[in-house]
Amino acid sequence: MESAITKQDRIGARVPHDVYETLCRAAELTGATVNQFLVQSALKEAQAIIEREEVIRLSPRDWNWLLELMENPPKPNARLKAAMKRYQKTVQDDAGTSFNWKP
């Protein structure tokens, strides 16, 4: 029978004594060790930060608006057409350079 071995890394921190006491009290109140409390709290905060930075949330109204634009995009206006011409010229001018490198 094989058991899955999960690699574990160590994290350490030096904190002022009053911070340590606060962490110990909170850990005790939750029934966790200080290390468990720190990891659980840090992980929860890390996940919240990652979600806030990587997930885009839309209201139903905004979702419907975005979906409508994707399914029925407006015709390109003069500024968009000019931007596309500049982009195409840049791509042509950079042909054969490291900017346009393909392995």
Side-chain angles (χ1 to χ4, degrees):
M1 181 171 135
E2 290 185 33
S3 64
I5 298 174
T6 304
K7 182 181 179 216
Q8 294 188 339
D9 294 313
R10 186 173 210 53
I11 297 175
R14 297 218 180 266
V15 296
H17 185 71
D18 60 329
V19 171
Y20 177 76
E21 290 294 323
T22 301
L23 295 172
C24 286
R25 182 166 179 229
E28 184 179 326
L29 290 170
T30 62
T33 66
V34 175
N35 283 341
Q36 289 169 335
F37 179 79
L38 287 173
V39 170
Q40 290 168 356
S41 299
L43 181 59
K44 183 178 178 182
E45 181 68 13
Q47 289 169 331
I49 289 169
I50 290 168
E51 181 176 341
R52 183 181 69 228
E53 296 299 321
E54 293 182 350
V55 175
I56 298 172
R57 299 206 183 276
L58 297 174
S59 68
R61 180 194 63 154
D62 290 342
W63 170 251
N64 289 330
W65 172 79
L66 180 60
L67 193 58
E68 175 64 25
L69 281 176
M70 290 178 7
E71 290 177 348
N72 302 299
K75 293 187 183 198
N77 61 21
R79 289 179 64 192
L80 181 56
K81 288 177 183 177
M84 280 303 298
K85 283 183 182 177
R86 285 192 309 273
Y87 171 76
Q88 289 167 346
K89 182 176 179 342
T90 301
V91 170
Q92 288 171 354
D93 290 348
D94 289 333
T97 68
S98 59
F99 177 77
N100 199 25
W101 181 78
K102 292 179 185 170

